[in-house]
Amino acid sequence: VRRLQMRTRNGGEELITDTTKMLRALRDEGGMTTADIMEAVNTSSIEQVRRWLRGDSQPAASRREIITNLFTEKIGEEK
């Protein structure tokens, strides 16, 4: 997983990965809500998905695979 450090508005740093970027694109460009993503990756915690979107934590490998497939299906074909 490729990781990039980015400065946040408040001067802190957040960890941005390809998975985080894909999740944000699914939400922002793919028309999915956080709840839609939660259901698609089969997790019962919307807060967990929010942590992934913020870059605070990363999903397990099995969920990263689902996210990659979703991204390819919804966003990848457009680009």
Side-chain angles (χ1 to χ4, degrees):
V1 175
R2 195 175 75 202
R3 297 170 187 266
L4 303 168
Q5 294 283 34
M6 296 184 69
R7 289 231 175 259
T8 60
R9 285 183 224 162
N10 65 4
E13 290 191 359
E14 70 179 344
L15 189 62
I16 303 298
T17 64
D18 291 338
T19 304
T20 302
K21 289 180 185 178
M22 283 190 276
L23 284 165
R24 290 177 180 177
L26 285 167
R27 184 194 59 199
D28 299 339
E29 301 168 33
M32 294 185 79
T33 65
T34 303
D36 292 336
I37 295 169
M38 179 187 79
E39 186 175 318
V41 299
N42 196 28
T43 183
S44 60
S45 172
I46 199 160
E47 187 54 40
Q48 183 64 51
V49 176
R50 288 179 180 141
R51 284 191 289 270
W52 300 339
L53 284 161
R54 287 191 307 262
D56 293 343
S57 67
Q58 292 298 302
S62 60
R63 290 196 168 117
R64 285 195 306 266
E65 184 176 342
I66 294 168
I67 292 163
T68 300
N69 292 338
L70 271 172
F71 178 82
T72 302
E73 178 185 310
K74 293 193 169 282
I75 307 292
E77 295 173 357
E78 297 174 11
K79 295 192 175 199

